[in-house]
Each structure stands twice: as structure tokens, then as C-alpha cells.
Amino acid sequence: MKIQPDEISSILRNKIKGLKFDIDISETGKVVQVGDGIARIYGMDNVMAGEMIDFPGDVMGMALNLEEDNVGCIIFGETRKIKEGDIAKRTKKILQVPVGEEMLGRVVNALGEPLDGKGQIKAETYHPVERKALGVVQRQPVKEPLQTGLKAIDSMIPIGRGQRELIIGDRQTGKTAIAIDTILNQKDADVVCIYVAIGQKKSSVAKIVNILNAKGAMKYTIVVVASAAESASLQYLSPYSGCTMGEFFRDKGKHALIIYDDLSKHAVSYRELSLLLRRPPGREAYPGDVFYLHSRLLERASKLNDELGSGSLTALPIIETQADDLTAYIPTNVISITDGQIFLNSRLFYSGIRPAINAGLSVSRVGGNAQIKSMKSVTGQLRVALAQYAELEAFAKFGSDLDKATQAQLTRGRRLVEILKQAQYSPLSVAKQTFIIFMANEGYLDEIEVENVKKVEEELYSTLDSEYKEFMESMVKDKLSEETKEAMRKICKKVLSKF
Amino acid sequence: MKNILVAQRYSQAIISGLDTKEINFVLADVEIMSNSLKTEQELVNAVNSYLFPLKKRLKIAMEMTQNLKYTRLWENLFSILLKKHRFNIITDILLDLENEIFEKKNLIKVGLTIAHELPKNVLDSISTQLTDILEKDIILEIKIDPEILGGFVATTDSLLIDGSIKNNLVKLIKVKLKKMK
């Protein structure tokens, strides 16, 4: 085949003729200072707070400080690509992230860009990172339970869909473990999970992603990562990005759960940004609006009313304390914002009580309304018995010198503590949880040695799984009736006969 | 570049004390000085340098003002800048002063970059369009840069109007790449 140059050039000419050339008009400013993830821009008089700024080298930024003679920006990328004197352009867009079903199963950064090497995310919808929390009219009270699969939580500190429940404790007390267990427990619950890792080691995040993958939880989970190696600006942004992704599902009438791991590091990254932007420092050098930083984020968790599809976004923020001090600045702020807290105690953790939940200091302010009725009917006694045990624990060393009633309370308390222990990555169904608590409350375990309580528990679960599947399904549907209780007592006796 | 903000304060202080007639004199002086100092950065550095005695530096600076129309003003400004060791921002002050004066006269300086020399009627047409967009009378400063391939790029202090072929091709490539992904 011969190539005809004339023909080709005429085709090209026609193509070029058909092309429509645009003229871009953009407001610009000059970079006067850059460094530490911050840029100051001279000019850009009409820039909006939170607007995306286009820097040379395809680096994006966000305008945060609108001052009299300059604009303070945080930079989401490599600052070394930007020089003093560079031209920065306004985009007239508020920062947005991709949202939708396409995000499920993906590990993304704070801007919604993939980090898992599974290729580009073909999301068609983008939503602003900063959104106003819904108003009173659009909401309804929390009424459906969100099961964590953990006995200690589902029984004593129940969480409802749309609730904000803080997980607080020292380092290495199992805060993340509770969050991961909760994600694993949503496997058949039709709840989308978003795990936001803020300022964590990449190795820790990789470990979590591997667990979620191995347990089949990644298919309904989005992991948003702003690791310790990322700039403070990305760490600051990541929880808002994750929240926007969760809100998409909530607004579609679905249920979503978001975990912010952790907001202490988020506050630290915001402090860093604020100090670099020369905002006045306040207590512990945090800026004055550090309360608003978290309140506006956590207010976005909600349960929508029926007209809006009754979707929900439940938030489990995590806060790391220093030496179990709950009265520090950030912990008290977040405690006051949330609807309750799960306090993990390092003393309990090292004495082998895991999850190391301090029942006395933990509370769920709204979850009670959402608790399953069958569970509710057994947990009233549990809390009282545990509180009495905590009070009498100090006298335990007097042993046989104590009166019978006290000894009985101590015996019951020890067994209750034992049954509330739970291994990691092994969430339990509500029915099993209700059953074992019922068994302890009724005193069936009092005669069993503390060391053997776990064995009884295992035997109970295997008996229930093999022989009483239908009974288990029916027993959680409503409040425990006398008939159901009687049937449960029979099963308890059957299990105990083996010991 | 950080000096822009300081320079801005100086230029605003100068302009606040001038009436319309004086503004024209100052503008003429600014143009003369801008043109000569633009290429003499070494001189600016030397005048600002502690290596030479202040008296001598002041003398040189005063001589620089001799042929200007508003000598007194420049003498005062140069002496303050030298004493404060800020003579290095003189070019920024002049630039800002020029912009401020243009602003007062509803004028704007536009840097127009084109790929190759264009006939006068095309330039006039571009100029008219820019006047419409900016809603100000414009002073064109034409620069030729073959890298933009064709079309034009117009820049002011706060606006970038990019109608270059290069920009359009970059956008086209971005769209194609996105589709391929």
C-alpha cells in the first residue's frame, strides 16, 4: 500500500480545523514562601476558604488562611516541586474526593488516590471533603444496634447505628483490635466500613489490610491511609475524606461505620499546620479551634430519618491517652463530643483481661435504646454484679473470713470477668453472647473453677452450633420469655453435665 | 519574593502623599529607574552591601537620583532603604509603585507571550479582546517564546489568560490519558 503524503496532510488539516481551542482564564497569585508543607501566596484576592489551588508540577493545595496580604495554603504533595515566585492558580473548586461503590475494597490516600496497586479507581461521583453536618430535622434518634461481636461491648456499652462512640486508652491496650473486630463482625450485616489510619506506621496499616483481606472483610471496607510518612496536611485531611466516603453510603439509605484511628494524631497534625500557618497557639499549643476540628467531623455521623432513607453513619473515633489520663485536653474534648466512651485500661490489659474494658468508666449514652431486647434482659444484672465485684475485689484476699454473701458476690464477679474475656478476631453472634451471660447470671458457672469457665463456654458454643441453630435464631427476636429462659436453663444443665 | 509585602508597604506610603500631577512625574521616574536597575542587580547589591561605608553608598545612591524629576522623594527613599539595609527591594518597590499608579489611572500592564511575530491587525485584535476581558486600558509587553507553539499567553499580576496551543495540547493529552486509564 502506498502512502499518500497529500492525503495524510489533508486529513490532519481537517482534524485540526475541527479542533476547538479554549482560552483558560485563571486567577493567579505568586508563591512568596514555601516549606514544611505550607505555601504563602501573594495575590488571589477572591480565593475561597478550602478552595483547591493548582501549583506548578501538578501539585495541589488547599487555601486555609485568608489573610490581608497573603493566602496560607497547605500542600498535598511534594513541596520541593514548588519554588518562590511560582505562579499558583485558583481552581474555583472546593477539595473533593471520589465516592461510590468503586471505592470498596480499596486502600486510598487522603485525596482518594489508590495506594494498593490495583489500578485507577473509576469513580464517577466526587463529593466535597468538608460538608456541613445534617440538621436536626433530617435526623432521627439512634434505634438500631451495631453489633461489635464483643461480649463486653454489646452487653454493657451497646452501640447504635448513627452513634459516635469513643474508644480511648493508652498505647497497646487493644483499641485498634476492637475496631478491627467490629469491622469483621459486619460481614453479613450489610454495613460498609471505612477505616481511616492517621499518622500510623505503614507496616501497621499493611498488617490490618492483610487481616481484613484474610478474613474477607476488605470487600465491604475502604481503608484511607495518611501514614506517619505523609505530610501533616494529608493527615489533617484524611478523616474528612473518609467521612465523605461514608456519607455517600448513608445518603443512599445504607449503613456505614467509620473508624478514625486515631484523632490524637489528627489533633497533633492540625497543631503542626496551625503553628506553621502562624495561628495563635492555645493550651498545649493547640489552636483555638481544635474542639471544632473534631466536633464538625463527628457531627457528620448520624442516623437519617425515614424520608431520607434511614441510612446511618456510625463513628468510632479512637483517642490515645498518656498514662491513663482521661483529663488531658484532646481526650476531654472528644469525650464531650461523642455519645459515650469505651475506656481501655492498661492495668486490666496486662492482668490478662482482654478486651481490657473498664466497665465503670465506659458508657454508651444513646446505645441502650438500640440494644436487642433479649440482650437487654440479661445485661441489667451483669452491670450490677460487675460493679459490686469491683468494689469487693480489694477484700478478696481475706478469703474465708468474709461472710457468705460477699463470697458469693466475689465468686460470681470472677466468673463474669472470665466470660467477658474474648480472643481477638473472634466476634460472636448476639445469641451466643446472650446465652453465656444468661448462664453466668443464673449462677450455673458458680460451681465451675475459674480456669474451666472458658472450656464450658467453648462447649456451650459447640453444643449451640450443632444442636440448637433454630432456637438461637428465634431467641434473639424478642425479649426472653419465661419459656425461652426455661429452654435455656435446660441447655445450660446439659452442657454442665459434661463437666 | 518575601520582600513583595514589605515593598508593597513602601509603595503605598509613597503614593498616599502624591496628587495627580505628581503621580505622572513619579511614574516617569519609576520607568527610568526600573529600566536601568533591571540590568544592574550587581549595583543594587553593592549599594546595599555592608562591605562599603554607608557614606559612600549614600553618595552613590544620591547620584542615581540626580537626573530624575522628583529628586527629593527618591533621595529620602534611598536614604531610608540604605539605613534599614533594604535597598535590595528597590526593584520590587518600583514594580509595585508602577502597578499602583496604573491602577489609579485604570491602566494595566499585560505581558503577552506569543510563539512568533504576529501582524499588527492580529495584535490589535488580541489587545481589544484583552481590554474587554480586563475592563481596563492595557499596556502590552510582548515577549516571543516558541515553546508555546501558537496562540498567546497573557499575564497580569492576578490573572493568567492562556490561549496557547501548548496548553490546549497538554489538556488534550490529560483527557486522553484519563480515558485510557
Side-chain angles (χ1 to χ4, degrees), chain A residues 46 265 366 372 428:
Chain A
N46 302 315
K265 291 193 188 84
V366 295
I372 285 178
L428 282 175

Side-chain angles (χ1 to χ4, degrees), chain B residues 59-82:
Chain B
K59 202 180 160 193
I60 296 168
M62 294 311 127
E63 274 173 19
M64 283 161 72
T65 64
Q66 287 315 300
N67 294 328
L68 300 172
K69 289 179 183 165
Y70 221 126
T71 314
R72 185 85 190 279
L73 176 104
W74 300 116
E75 277 178 0
N76 285 340
L77 175 70
F78 284 11
S79 127
I80 292 168
L81 290 177
L82 277 176

Side-chain angles (χ1 to χ4, degrees), chain A residues 19-33 42 58 69-70 84-85 89 120 122, chain B residues 1-2 4-5 8-9 96 129 133 152 156-163 165 167-168 171 174 181:
Chain A
L19 273 180
K20 212 178 168 188
F21 280 93
D22 293 330
I23 295 180
D24 288 341
I25 303 177
S26 34
E27 263 183 70
T28 58
K30 262 185 188 169
V31 177
V32 289
Q33 192 188 345
Y42 174 69
D58 273 340
D69 50 10
N70 70 78
E84 277 185 17
K89 286 189 227 167
Q120 204 68 22
K122 285 171 185 158
Chain B
M1 204 49 80
K2 271 173 265 178
I4 286 179
L5 307 178
Q8 199 183 28
R9 277 180 229 142
D96 201 66
Q129 279 192 36
I133 292 169
F152 70 91
T156 69
D157 260 1
S158 60
L159 221 55
L160 176 81
I161 303 166
D162 198 339
I165 292 180
N167 182 45
N168 277 285
K171 280 200 296 187
K174 276 186 185 169
K181 279 174 185 170

Side-chain angles (χ1 to χ4, degrees), chain A residues 177-357:
Chain A
I178 288 181
I180 300 302
D181 276 346
T182 311
I183 293 180
L184 297 182
N185 198 46
Q186 307 312 314
K187 202 167 189 175
D188 302 312
D190 199 22
V191 175
V192 171
C193 301
I194 298 126
Y195 178 77
V196 187
I198 312 158
Q200 289 193 41
K201 287 178 280 184
K202 280 184 182 166
S203 59
S204 313
V205 181
K207 202 173 142 190
I208 290 165
V209 173
N210 282 342
I211 292 162
L212 294 176
N213 264 324
K215 303 273 178 186
M218 237 1 236
K219 62 174 186 276
Y220 56 86
T221 306
I222 305 168
V223 179
V224 182
V225 185
S227 73
E230 315 283 356
S231 62
S233 36
L234 284 174
Q235 290 184 37
Y236 155 72
L237 194 70
S238 55
Y240 298 102
S241 305
C243 190
T244 300
M245 291 170 198
E247 279 175 331
F248 171 83
F249 295 101
R250 178 200 64 188
D251 297 343
K252 292 265 173 205
K254 292 186 175 181
H255 299 287
L257 162 74
I258 185 160
I259 289 146
Y260 304 111
D261 194 0
D262 65 74
L263 290 188
S264 312
K265 291 193 188 84
H266 182 236
V268 168
S269 64
Y270 187 57
R271 174 170 66 184
E272 187 181 326
L273 285 178
S274 302
L275 292 173
L276 287 166
L277 285 166
R278 296 184 190 178
R279 290 179 177 178
R283 183 176 158 189
E284 291 174 31
Y286 287 107
D289 63 341
V290 75
F291 185 90
Y292 181 55
L293 171 83
H294 290 149
S295 65
R296 75 172 192 266
L297 172 71
L298 294 168
E299 267 301 295
R300 287 165 71 176
S302 52
K303 168 80 183 155
L304 296 189
N305 64 23
D306 294 337
E307 284 138 49
L308 292 172
S310 56
S312 71
L313 178 65
T314 312
L316 294 183
I318 294 177
I319 286 280
E320 190 180 294
T321 52
Q322 305 290 328
D324 288 337
D325 181 15
L326 289 178
T327 60
Y329 190 24
I330 303 301
T332 45
N333 274 357
V334 184
I335 285 172
S336 69
I337 296 163
T338 48
D339 306 311
Q341 72 276 348
I342 298 166
F343 178 51
L344 301 174
N345 194 304
S346 47
R347 188 184 58 80
L348 294 175
F349 185 85
Y350 292 114
S351 62
I353 300 167
R354 294 170 197 183
I357 296 168

